[in-house]
Amino acid sequence: MQEILAFTALGFAVAFIIKKFFLKKKKKKGSKSCGTDDDCGCH
Amino acid sequence: MINENINVALIGNPNVGKTSVFNQLTGLNQQVGNYPGITVEKKIGFCKLPNNIKANILDLPGTYSLNASSIDENVVIELLLNKNDKLYPDVALVVTDVENLKRNLLLFTQIKDLEIPTILVINMADRMEQKGITLDIPYLEEHLKTKISLVSSRKGFGIAELKKQIITYKTISSEPCLNASVIDPEYFDSLRKAFPSQLLYKLWLVITQDVNFLNLERKEIQSSFTKSHSDLKRLQQKETIKRYQFINDVLKVGLKVDIAIAKDFRSKLDRVLTHKVWGYAIFFAILFIIFQSIFEWSKIPMDFIDSTFANLSSLASKNLPEGVFTSLLSEGIIPGIGGILIFIPQIAFLFLFISILEESGYMSRVVFLMDKIMRKFGLSGKSVVPLISGTACAIPAIMATRNIENWKERLITILVTPFTTCSARLPVYAIIIALVIPDNYVLGFLNLQGLTLMLLYLLGFGMAIFSAYVLNKIMKIKGKTFFVVEMPNYKLPMFKNVAINVIEKTKAFVFGAGKIILAISIILWFLASYGPGKNFNNADTIQRSKVENKGIEESEMSNKIASFKLENSYIGIMGKTIEPVISPLGYDWKIGIAIISSFAAREVFVGTLATIYSVGGSDNEDTIKNKMGAEINPITGKKVFNFASGISLLLFYAFALQCASTLAITKKETNSWKWPVGQLIFMSGFAYVVALIAFQLLK
């Protein structure tokens, strides 16, 4: 059980890093910047 | 009941409180800054108006006129010229500052010429009495052919009345308030005859601007009506003079200022704060206080967070069932998260000070002061804004270069901005300074740690302008941009704005960086907990069978086994591979891994070391700082984080481009890989050489 949990966490972590740094972001259609999104994407 | 949806555009000069009006109307919050260039893109909020009318409120970038010379000004003109744009305004709110009405009205008269129903919003009306200002509203409304709304976005008054006025937009005159065609009647007459269905002032803007407006139409106009560049410039100047003559005539009757009442405290203060000697002395004193406070005030909460996470880690390992996931939790996830949360107090204090400086109006004086220095180094005064914004993050700072008209000046600013010390460097600086700089006082009040932090910020800024100077010499900039900086009134910072800014920035830091750090901590834990080959799998037997380990205590033996396993784990092998490159800088393989992983984001450096040291040691109760401080280099027998290696690391992080997102934004803004790759090679190469020299001299 512990191994399943640990390796699931690893899978999520790897997927997140790949998505963040290696896949191009798709712009959502009709998305509007409201001025509150302060995440510059650099962190 | 039918719901009506309308578009409302907020237009105005920089620093008239446009964003504050936007916040009041929409309830949304965003950064309210006092220096130009902070709003570089259009922003939309939503507002419920009386009579079931819903409004899309569009906050457009600040612009002084409709004569566009930069990207953010183009945003305004392109929207106002294009009736087919889905955001084309049904009504325009031209926001002005009651104390700078004359200059602010230039833009208003231009918007009126576009025949858009326009409301004149006179902001900061709460200061009228104090400044001895009286306005003849009926007279102004009649001559400016508009409705006027007196508001104070800071105090929130007048907003309800403004909402009521917006819904009457259909009754507001869209007639121009002056006839601009008198600047060249013959030319405008021929233009009118050639394009009878077109709005005359729109045609004029299309002819004079290089904006992306219906290209075919522009070509058609230009083929028969284009004048020489100098003729167009001359006519634009005539137009501006004509508009100011009109504004002067109207304000002569409509605006009265009683100088006896208006005590000019602001001018007196400005003379001191922008003085060529005192101005800089005060600025450096303020910087000094900020950096001293960041260290002093953060100590207690930081120690608390550090020990809490160490205890949490220990609690997890002792109380949860033994297994892989428990180890991942206690050695990977908890120390990794702790490695980022520990810096919340310092980040919060940094942004608290920056927000107060912005809100009070002092930041604009700093921009003015720095402009004098920038010009000596061949940069535009407008470069100051990105360089100062860079103390938060290089990404929005690089985007803020969009208001620099001259391409080469803009490019140089983009290339040097990452030298400015961003908030992501703060955790790295803070932990290294705490480890290698003594917590002593010089002259009884100068804290060495705070002083070092301040010097690092100045070093980053100094390196940015020195690099700009070199690039300027190489690139031979021709033509200069002029720089207009608004000096807003001094005011007491609004608690709400400061609090929101601090919370948003801290949240962005924790949740933005936190996600990456958590993911990297998990991956690193696996790489540090598993390894190939016999050495890793038989670590226990190998260590116990060594002659020199015979008779040592069990706790020491456990440490030796953990350390041996770490060295032979996947991460250990990777680290050992790169060690020859970094050992001349005084770093061991663990620091090497932290440097590589922190290319995702600089803050990852601390989280990485926290994870590596947690896996490599047996004491989960110890804090990150203590673990790093106790680390011994097995080859030299000295502490890994000593004065020489610490200074070397600080200098490396001061100059290296350790940020993947900065590369991406530079590529986006320059539309080429040439510049970000050059930036990466130069900054990282320079950082390596400086760190190498520093370590070799100090070791």
Side-chain angles (χ1 to χ4, degrees), chain B residues 213-233:
Chain B
F213 167 68
L214 302 178
N215 282 329
L216 279 173
E217 195 181 339
R218 190 206 295 158
K219 276 180 194 163
E220 191 190 338
I221 297 166
Q222 285 184 335
S223 62
S224 45
F225 288 95
T226 300
K227 284 175 171 267
S228 71
H229 182 71
S230 59
D231 276 350
L232 286 176
K233 280 280 160 212

mmCIF file with all atom_site columns, all heavy atoms in Angstrom, chain B residues 213-233:
data_model
loop_
_atom_site.group_PDB
_atom_site.id
_atom_site.type_symbol
_atom_site.label_atom_id
_atom_site.label_alt_id
_atom_site.label_comp_id
_atom_site.label_asym_id
_atom_site.label_entity_id
_atom_site.label_seq_id
_atom_site.pdbx_PDB_ins_code
_atom_site.Cartn_x
_atom_site.Cartn_y
_atom_site.Cartn_z
_atom_site.occupancy
_atom_site.B_iso_or_equiv
_atom_site.pdbx_formal_charge
_atom_site.auth_seq_id
_atom_site.auth_comp_id
_atom_site.auth_asym_id
_atom_site.auth_atom_id
_atom_site.pdbx_PDB_model_num
ATOM 1   N N   . PHE B 1 213 ? -4.547  48.655 -37.609 1.00 0.00 ? 213 PHE B N   1
ATOM 2   C CA  . PHE B 1 213 ? -5.982  48.868 -37.743 1.00 0.00 ? 213 PHE B CA  1
ATOM 3   C C   . PHE B 1 213 ? -6.390  48.661 -39.183 1.00 0.00 ? 213 PHE B C   1
ATOM 4   O O   . PHE B 1 213 ? -6.003  49.414 -40.080 1.00 0.00 ? 213 PHE B O   1
ATOM 5   C CB  . PHE B 1 213 ? -6.356  50.271 -37.288 1.00 0.00 ? 213 PHE B CB  1
ATOM 6   C CG  . PHE B 1 213 ? -7.752  50.656 -37.682 1.00 0.00 ? 213 PHE B CG  1
ATOM 7   C CD1 . PHE B 1 213 ? -8.826  50.019 -37.101 1.00 0.00 ? 213 PHE B CD1 1
ATOM 8   C CD2 . PHE B 1 213 ? -7.973  51.602 -38.649 1.00 0.00 ? 213 PHE B CD2 1
ATOM 9   C CE1 . PHE B 1 213 ? -10.109 50.349 -37.476 1.00 0.00 ? 213 PHE B CE1 1
ATOM 10  C CE2 . PHE B 1 213 ? -9.256  51.933 -39.022 1.00 0.00 ? 213 PHE B CE2 1
ATOM 11  C CZ  . PHE B 1 213 ? -10.333 51.313 -38.433 1.00 0.00 ? 213 PHE B CZ  1
ATOM 12  N N   . LEU B 1 214 ? -7.175  47.643 -39.426 1.00 0.00 ? 214 LEU B N   1
ATOM 13  C CA  . LEU B 1 214 ? -7.728  47.372 -40.742 1.00 0.00 ? 214 LEU B CA  1
ATOM 14  C C   . LEU B 1 214 ? -6.744  47.748 -41.850 1.00 0.00 ? 214 LEU B C   1
ATOM 15  O O   . LEU B 1 214 ? -6.885  48.768 -42.509 1.00 0.00 ? 214 LEU B O   1
ATOM 16  C CB  . LEU B 1 214 ? -9.050  48.129 -40.921 1.00 0.00 ? 214 LEU B CB  1
ATOM 17  C CG  . LEU B 1 214 ? -10.134 47.810 -39.870 1.00 0.00 ? 214 LEU B CG  1
ATOM 18  C CD1 . LEU B 1 214 ? -11.360 48.657 -40.113 1.00 0.00 ? 214 LEU B CD1 1
ATOM 19  C CD2 . LEU B 1 214 ? -10.498 46.351 -39.849 1.00 0.00 ? 214 LEU B CD2 1
ATOM 20  N N   . ASN B 1 215 ? -5.758  46.940 -42.024 1.00 0.00 ? 215 ASN B N   1
ATOM 21  C CA  . ASN B 1 215 ? -4.627  47.254 -42.904 1.00 0.00 ? 215 ASN B CA  1
ATOM 22  C C   . ASN B 1 215 ? -5.004  47.750 -44.302 1.00 0.00 ? 215 ASN B C   1
ATOM 23  O O   . ASN B 1 215 ? -4.415  48.685 -44.813 1.00 0.00 ? 215 ASN B O   1
ATOM 24  C CB  . ASN B 1 215 ? -3.740  46.016 -43.048 1.00 0.00 ? 215 ASN B CB  1
ATOM 25  C CG  . ASN B 1 215 ? -2.888  45.859 -41.818 1.00 0.00 ? 215 ASN B CG  1
ATOM 26  O OD1 . ASN B 1 215 ? -2.534  46.858 -41.201 1.00 0.00 ? 215 ASN B OD1 1
ATOM 27  N ND2 . ASN B 1 215 ? -2.596  44.627 -41.429 1.00 0.00 ? 215 ASN B ND2 1
ATOM 28  N N   . LEU B 1 216 ? -5.995  47.107 -44.894 1.00 0.00 ? 216 LEU B N   1
ATOM 29  C CA  . LEU B 1 216 ? -6.372  47.486 -46.256 1.00 0.00 ? 216 LEU B CA  1
ATOM 30  C C   . LEU B 1 216 ? -6.791  48.955 -46.309 1.00 0.00 ? 216 LEU B C   1
ATOM 31  O O   . LEU B 1 216 ? -6.372  49.717 -47.165 1.00 0.00 ? 216 LEU B O   1
ATOM 32  C CB  . LEU B 1 216 ? -7.529  46.602 -46.738 1.00 0.00 ? 216 LEU B CB  1
ATOM 33  C CG  . LEU B 1 216 ? -7.117  45.223 -47.238 1.00 0.00 ? 216 LEU B CG  1
ATOM 34  C CD1 . LEU B 1 216 ? -8.341  44.398 -47.526 1.00 0.00 ? 216 LEU B CD1 1
ATOM 35  C CD2 . LEU B 1 216 ? -6.249  45.352 -48.501 1.00 0.00 ? 216 LEU B CD2 1
ATOM 36  N N   . GLU B 1 217 ? -7.608  49.302 -45.310 1.00 0.00 ? 217 GLU B N   1
ATOM 37  C CA  . GLU B 1 217 ? -8.132  50.658 -45.287 1.00 0.00 ? 217 GLU B CA  1
ATOM 38  C C   . GLU B 1 217 ? -6.993  51.679 -45.149 1.00 0.00 ? 217 GLU B C   1
ATOM 39  O O   . GLU B 1 217 ? -6.976  52.712 -45.800 1.00 0.00 ? 217 GLU B O   1
ATOM 40  C CB  . GLU B 1 217 ? -9.093  50.791 -44.120 1.00 0.00 ? 217 GLU B CB  1
ATOM 41  C CG  . GLU B 1 217 ? -9.959  52.017 -44.208 1.00 0.00 ? 217 GLU B CG  1
ATOM 42  C CD  . GLU B 1 217 ? -10.893 52.126 -43.013 1.00 0.00 ? 217 GLU B CD  1
ATOM 43  O OE1 . GLU B 1 217 ? -11.144 51.095 -42.358 1.00 0.00 ? 217 GLU B OE1 1
ATOM 44  O OE2 . GLU B 1 217 ? -11.338 53.223 -42.748 1.00 0.00 ? 217 GLU B OE2 1
ATOM 45  N N   . ARG B 1 218 ? -6.040  51.323 -44.301 1.00 0.00 ? 218 ARG B N   1
ATOM 46  C CA  . ARG B 1 218 ? -4.937  52.251 -44.097 1.00 0.00 ? 218 ARG B CA  1
ATOM 47  C C   . ARG B 1 218 ? -4.135  52.452 -45.384 1.00 0.00 ? 218 ARG B C   1
ATOM 48  O O   . ARG B 1 218 ? -3.773  53.552 -45.750 1.00 0.00 ? 218 ARG B O   1
ATOM 49  C CB  . ARG B 1 218 ? -4.023  51.758 -42.985 1.00 0.00 ? 218 ARG B CB  1
ATOM 50  C CG  . ARG B 1 218 ? -3.018  52.822 -42.588 1.00 0.00 ? 218 ARG B CG  1
ATOM 51  C CD  . ARG B 1 218 ? -1.777  52.244 -41.999 1.00 0.00 ? 218 ARG B CD  1
ATOM 52  N NE  . ARG B 1 218 ? -2.052  51.560 -40.734 1.00 0.00 ? 218 ARG B NE  1
ATOM 53  C CZ  . ARG B 1 218 ? -1.257  50.644 -40.253 1.00 0.00 ? 218 ARG B CZ  1
ATOM 54  N NH1 . ARG B 1 218 ? -0.187  50.275 -40.899 1.00 0.00 ? 218 ARG B NH1 1
ATOM 55  N NH2 . ARG B 1 218 ? -1.535  50.058 -39.122 1.00 0.00 ? 218 ARG B NH2 1
ATOM 56  N N   . LYS B 1 219 ? -3.898  51.319 -46.076 1.00 0.00 ? 219 LYS B N   1
ATOM 57  C CA  . LYS B 1 219 ? -3.141  51.404 -47.328 1.00 0.00 ? 219 LYS B CA  1
ATOM 58  C C   . LYS B 1 219 ? -3.866  52.323 -48.310 1.00 0.00 ? 219 LYS B C   1
ATOM 59  O O   . LYS B 1 219 ? -3.273  53.141 -48.984 1.00 0.00 ? 219 LYS B O   1
ATOM 60  C CB  . LYS B 1 219 ? -2.976  50.003 -47.935 1.00 0.00 ? 219 LYS B CB  1
ATOM 61  C CG  . LYS B 1 219 ? -1.798  49.246 -47.356 1.00 0.00 ? 219 LYS B CG  1
ATOM 62  C CD  . LYS B 1 219 ? -1.704  47.887 -47.987 1.00 0.00 ? 219 LYS B CD  1
ATOM 63  C CE  . LYS B 1 219 ? -0.754  47.014 -47.183 1.00 0.00 ? 219 LYS B CE  1
ATOM 64  N NZ  . LYS B 1 219 ? -0.919  45.614 -47.487 1.00 0.00 ? 219 LYS B NZ  1
ATOM 65  N N   . GLU B 1 220 ? -5.183  52.147 -48.339 1.00 0.00 ? 220 GLU B N   1
ATOM 66  C CA  . GLU B 1 220 ? -5.994  52.941 -49.262 1.00 0.00 ? 220 GLU B CA  1
ATOM 67  C C   . GLU B 1 220 ? -5.856  54.434 -48.940 1.00 0.00 ? 220 GLU B C   1
ATOM 68  O O   . GLU B 1 220 ? -5.650  55.268 -49.815 1.00 0.00 ? 220 GLU B O   1
ATOM 69  C CB  . GLU B 1 220 ? -7.450  52.497 -49.098 1.00 0.00 ? 220 GLU B CB  1
ATOM 70  C CG  . GLU B 1 220 ? -8.386  53.031 -50.161 1.00 0.00 ? 220 GLU B CG  1
ATOM 71  C CD  . GLU B 1 220 ? -9.831  52.746 -49.760 1.00 0.00 ? 220 GLU B CD  1
ATOM 72  O OE1 . GLU B 1 220 ? -10.069 51.831 -48.954 1.00 0.00 ? 220 GLU B OE1 1
ATOM 73  O OE2 . GLU B 1 220 ? -10.684 53.475 -50.258 1.00 0.00 ? 220 GLU B OE2 1
ATOM 74  N N   . ILE B 1 221 ? -5.915  54.729 -47.639 1.00 0.00 ? 221 ILE B N   1
ATOM 75  C CA  . ILE B 1 221 ? -5.804  56.132 -47.228 1.00 0.00 ? 221 ILE B CA  1
ATOM 76  C C   . ILE B 1 221 ? -4.408  56.658 -47.547 1.00 0.00 ? 221 ILE B C   1
ATOM 77  O O   . ILE B 1 221 ? -4.241  57.706 -48.144 1.00 0.00 ? 221 ILE B O   1
ATOM 78  C CB  . ILE B 1 221 ? -6.057  56.279 -45.705 1.00 0.00 ? 221 ILE B CB  1
ATOM 79  C CG1 . ILE B 1 221 ? -7.477  55.845 -45.378 1.00 0.00 ? 221 ILE B CG1 1
ATOM 80  C CG2 . ILE B 1 221 ? -5.832  57.708 -45.260 1.00 0.00 ? 221 ILE B CG2 1
ATOM 81  C CD1 . ILE B 1 221 ? -7.713  55.640 -43.908 1.00 0.00 ? 221 ILE B CD1 1
ATOM 82  N N   . GLN B 1 222 ? -3.435  55.850 -47.195 1.00 0.00 ? 222 GLN B N   1
ATOM 83  C CA  . GLN B 1 222 ? -2.067  56.343 -47.326 1.00 0.00 ? 222 GLN B CA  1
ATOM 84  C C   . GLN B 1 222 ? -1.660  56.577 -48.776 1.00 0.00 ? 222 GLN B C   1
ATOM 85  O O   . GLN B 1 222 ? -0.880  57.472 -49.059 1.00 0.00 ? 222 GLN B O   1
ATOM 86  C CB  . GLN B 1 222 ? -1.104  55.368 -46.661 1.00 0.00 ? 222 GLN B CB  1
ATOM 87  C CG  . GLN B 1 222 ? -1.179  55.504 -45.146 1.00 0.00 ? 222 GLN B CG  1
ATOM 88  C CD  . GLN B 1 222 ? -0.189  54.641 -44.427 1.00 0.00 ? 222 GLN B CD  1
ATOM 89  O OE1 . GLN B 1 222 ? 0.233   53.621 -44.963 1.00 0.00 ? 222 GLN B OE1 1
ATOM 90  N NE2 . GLN B 1 222 ? 0.194   55.037 -43.241 1.00 0.00 ? 222 GLN B NE2 1
ATOM 91  N N   . SER B 1 223 ? -2.197  55.765 -49.698 1.00 0.00 ? 223 SER B N   1
ATOM 92  C CA  . SER B 1 223 ? -1.767  55.910 -51.085 1.00 0.00 ? 223 SER B CA  1
ATOM 93  C C   . SER B 1 223 ? -2.069  57.307 -51.629 1.00 0.00 ? 223 SER B C   1
ATOM 94  O O   . SER B 1 223 ? -1.311  57.861 -52.394 1.00 0.00 ? 223 SER B O   1
ATOM 95  C CB  . SER B 1 223 ? -2.444  54.844 -51.946 1.00 0.00 ? 223 SER B CB  1
ATOM 96  O OG  . SER B 1 223 ? -3.840  55.055 -51.876 1.00 0.00 ? 223 SER B OG  1
ATOM 97  N N   . SER B 1 224 ? -3.167  57.909 -51.211 1.00 0.00 ? 224 SER B N   1
ATOM 98  C CA  . SER B 1 224 ? -3.497  59.213 -51.783 1.00 0.00 ? 224 SER B CA  1
ATOM 99  C C   . SER B 1 224 ? -3.302  60.380 -50.820 1.00 0.00 ? 224 SER B C   1
ATOM 100 O O   . SER B 1 224 ? -3.282  61.520 -51.234 1.00 0.00 ? 224 SER B O   1
ATOM 101 C CB  . SER B 1 224 ? -4.943  59.180 -52.264 1.00 0.00 ? 224 SER B CB  1
ATOM 102 O OG  . SER B 1 224 ? -5.737  58.578 -51.294 1.00 0.00 ? 224 SER B OG  1
ATOM 103 N N   . PHE B 1 225 ? -3.164  60.094 -49.520 1.00 0.00 ? 225 PHE B N   1
ATOM 104 C CA  . PHE B 1 225 ? -3.129  61.214 -48.579 1.00 0.00 ? 225 PHE B CA  1
ATOM 105 C C   . PHE B 1 225 ? -1.892  61.277 -47.675 1.00 0.00 ? 225 PHE B C   1
ATOM 106 O O   . PHE B 1 225 ? -1.850  62.076 -46.761 1.00 0.00 ? 225 PHE B O   1
ATOM 107 C CB  . PHE B 1 225 ? -4.390  61.200 -47.712 1.00 0.00 ? 225 PHE B CB  1
ATOM 108 C CG  . PHE B 1 225 ? -5.603  61.591 -48.464 1.00 0.00 ? 225 PHE B CG  1
ATOM 109 C CD1 . PHE B 1 225 ? -6.426  60.631 -49.016 1.00 0.00 ? 225 PHE B CD1 1
ATOM 110 C CD2 . PHE B 1 225 ? -5.905  62.932 -48.673 1.00 0.00 ? 225 PHE B CD2 1
ATOM 111 C CE1 . PHE B 1 225 ? -7.542  60.991 -49.732 1.00 0.00 ? 225 PHE B CE1 1
ATOM 112 C CE2 . PHE B 1 225 ? -7.021  63.294 -49.387 1.00 0.00 ? 225 PHE B CE2 1
ATOM 113 C CZ  . PHE B 1 225 ? -7.850  62.323 -49.937 1.00 0.00 ? 225 PHE B CZ  1
ATOM 114 N N   . THR B 1 226 ? -0.959  60.420 -47.952 1.00 0.00 ? 226 THR B N   1
ATOM 115 C CA  . THR B 1 226 ? 0.206   60.421 -47.075 1.00 0.00 ? 226 THR B CA  1
ATOM 116 C C   . THR B 1 226 ? 1.032   61.691 -47.282 1.00 0.00 ? 226 THR B C   1
ATOM 117 O O   . THR B 1 226 ? 1.273   62.108 -48.400 1.00 0.00 ? 226 THR B O   1
ATOM 118 C CB  . THR B 1 226 ? 1.083   59.195 -47.345 1.00 0.00 ? 226 THR B CB  1
ATOM 119 O OG1 . THR B 1 226 ? 0.304   58.057 -47.091 1.00 0.00 ? 226 THR B OG1 1
ATOM 120 C CG2 . THR B 1 226 ? 2.298   59.169 -46.451 1.00 0.00 ? 226 THR B CG2 1
ATOM 121 N N   . LYS B 1 227 ? 1.411   62.268 -46.178 1.00 0.00 ? 227 LYS B N   1
ATOM 122 C CA  . LYS B 1 227 ? 2.306   63.427 -46.239 1.00 0.00 ? 227 LYS B CA  1
ATOM 123 C C   . LYS B 1 227 ? 3.677   62.965 -45.785 1.00 0.00 ? 227 LYS B C   1
ATOM 124 O O   . LYS B 1 227 ? 3.837   61.847 -45.292 1.00 0.00 ? 227 LYS B O   1
ATOM 125 C CB  . LYS B 1 227 ? 1.792   64.513 -45.298 1.00 0.00 ? 227 LYS B CB  1
ATOM 126 C CG  . LYS B 1 227 ? 0.588   65.279 -45.827 1.00 0.00 ? 227 LYS B CG  1
ATOM 127 C CD  . LYS B 1 227 ? 0.086   66.232 -44.758 1.00 0.00 ? 227 LYS B CD  1
ATOM 128 C CE  . LYS B 1 227 ? -0.968  67.164 -45.314 1.00 0.00 ? 227 LYS B CE  1
ATOM 129 N NZ  . LYS B 1 227 ? -0.437  68.432 -45.803 1.00 0.00 ? 227 LYS B NZ  1
ATOM 130 N N   . SER B 1 228 ? 4.658   63.843 -45.928 1.00 0.00 ? 228 SER B N   1
ATOM 131 C CA  . SER B 1 228 ? 5.993   63.455 -45.468 1.00 0.00 ? 228 SER B CA  1
ATOM 132 C C   . SER B 1 228 ? 5.970   63.336 -43.939 1.00 0.00 ? 228 SER B C   1
ATOM 133 O O   . SER B 1 228 ? 5.104   63.932 -43.274 1.00 0.00 ? 228 SER B O   1
ATOM 134 C CB  . SER B 1 228 ? 7.020   64.496 -45.885 1.00 0.00 ? 228 SER B CB  1
ATOM 135 O OG  . SER B 1 228 ? 6.817   65.659 -45.127 1.00 0.00 ? 228 SER B OG  1
ATOM 136 N N   . HIS B 1 229 ? 6.919   62.583 -43.399 1.00 0.00 ? 229 HIS B N   1
ATOM 137 C CA  . HIS B 1 229 ? 6.973   62.352 -41.952 1.00 0.00 ? 229 HIS B CA  1
ATOM 138 C C   . HIS B 1 229 ? 7.060   63.677 -41.190 1.00 0.00 ? 229 HIS B C   1
ATOM 139 O O   . HIS B 1 229 ? 6.370   63.887 -40.193 1.00 0.00 ? 229 HIS B O   1
ATOM 140 C CB  . HIS B 1 229 ? 8.186   61.465 -41.646 1.00 0.00 ? 229 HIS B CB  1
ATOM 141 C CG  . HIS B 1 229 ? 8.311   61.128 -40.194 1.00 0.00 ? 229 HIS B CG  1
ATOM 142 N ND1 . HIS B 1 229 ? 7.442   60.265 -39.562 1.00 0.00 ? 229 HIS B ND1 1
ATOM 143 C CD2 . HIS B 1 229 ? 9.177   61.567 -39.244 1.00 0.00 ? 229 HIS B CD2 1
ATOM 144 C CE1 . HIS B 1 229 ? 7.780   60.174 -38.287 1.00 0.00 ? 229 HIS B CE1 1
ATOM 145 N NE2 . HIS B 1 229 ? 8.837   60.955 -38.079 1.00 0.00 ? 229 HIS B NE2 1
ATOM 146 N N   . SER B 1 230 ? 7.897   64.588 -41.703 1.00 0.00 ? 230 SER B N   1
ATOM 147 C CA  . SER B 1 230 ? 8.071   65.859 -40.994 1.00 0.00 ? 230 SER B CA  1
ATOM 148 C C   . SER B 1 230 ? 6.794   66.703 -41.055 1.00 0.00 ? 230 SER B C   1
ATOM 149 O O   . SER B 1 230 ? 6.448   67.385 -40.088 1.00 0.00 ? 230 SER B O   1
ATOM 150 C CB  . SER B 1 230 ? 9.265   66.630 -41.560 1.00 0.00 ? 230 SER B CB  1
ATOM 151 O OG  . SER B 1 230 ? 9.059   66.868 -42.926 1.00 0.00 ? 230 SER B OG  1
ATOM 152 N N   . ASP B 1 231 ? 6.086   66.647 -42.189 1.00 0.00 ? 231 ASP B N   1
ATOM 153 C CA  . ASP B 1 231 ? 4.829   67.386 -42.303 1.00 0.00 ? 231 ASP B CA  1
ATOM 154 C C   . ASP B 1 231 ? 3.797   66.858 -41.312 1.00 0.00 ? 231 ASP B C   1
ATOM 155 O O   . ASP B 1 231 ? 3.076   67.629 -40.663 1.00 0.00 ? 231 ASP B O   1
ATOM 156 C CB  . ASP B 1 231 ? 4.265   67.246 -43.726 1.00 0.00 ? 231 ASP B CB  1
ATOM 157 C CG  . ASP B 1 231 ? 4.897   68.258 -44.671 1.00 0.00 ? 231 ASP B CG  1
ATOM 158 O OD1 . ASP B 1 231 ? 5.604   69.161 -44.171 1.00 0.00 ? 231 ASP B OD1 1
ATOM 159 O OD2 . ASP B 1 231 ? 4.724   68.124 -45.901 1.00 0.00 ? 231 ASP B OD2 1
ATOM 160 N N   . LEU B 1 232 ? 3.749   65.522 -41.197 1.00 0.00 ? 232 LEU B N   1
ATOM 161 C CA  . LEU B 1 232 ? 2.799   64.919 -40.260 1.00 0.00 ? 232 LEU B CA  1
ATOM 162 C C   . LEU B 1 232 ? 3.130   65.300 -38.822 1.00 0.00 ? 232 LEU B C   1
ATOM 163 O O   . LEU B 1 232 ? 2.247   65.605 -38.025 1.00 0.00 ? 232 LEU B O   1
ATOM 164 C CB  . LEU B 1 232 ? 2.802   63.390 -40.407 1.00 0.00 ? 232 LEU B CB  1
ATOM 165 C CG  . LEU B 1 232 ? 2.108   62.820 -41.646 1.00 0.00 ? 232 LEU B CG  1
ATOM 166 C CD1 . LEU B 1 232 ? 2.279   61.311 -41.711 1.00 0.00 ? 232 LEU B CD1 1
ATOM 167 C CD2 . LEU B 1 232 ? 0.625   63.169 -41.661 1.00 0.00 ? 232 LEU B CD2 1
ATOM 168 N N   . LYS B 1 233 ? 4.420   65.283 -38.502 1.00 0.00 ? 233 LYS B N   1
ATOM 169 C CA  . LYS B 1 233 ? 4.856   65.650 -37.143 1.00 0.00 ? 233 LYS B CA  1
ATOM 170 C C   . LYS B 1 233 ? 4.466   67.099 -36.838 1.00 0.00 ? 233 LYS B C   1
ATOM 171 O O   . LYS B 1 233 ? 4.023   67.425 -35.742 1.00 0.00 ? 233 LYS B O   1
ATOM 172 C CB  . LYS B 1 233 ? 6.380   65.484 -37.007 1.00 0.00 ? 233 LYS B CB  1
ATOM 173 C CG  . LYS B 1 233 ? 6.812   64.061 -36.776 1.00 0.00 ? 233 LYS B CG  1
ATOM 174 C CD  . LYS B 1 233 ? 6.625   63.650 -35.311 1.00 0.00 ? 233 LYS B CD  1
ATOM 175 C CE  . LYS B 1 233 ? 6.581   62.144 -35.211 1.00 0.00 ? 233 LYS B CE  1
ATOM 176 N NZ  . LYS B 1 233 ? 5.756   61.612 -34.168 1.00 0.00 ? 233 LYS B NZ  1
#
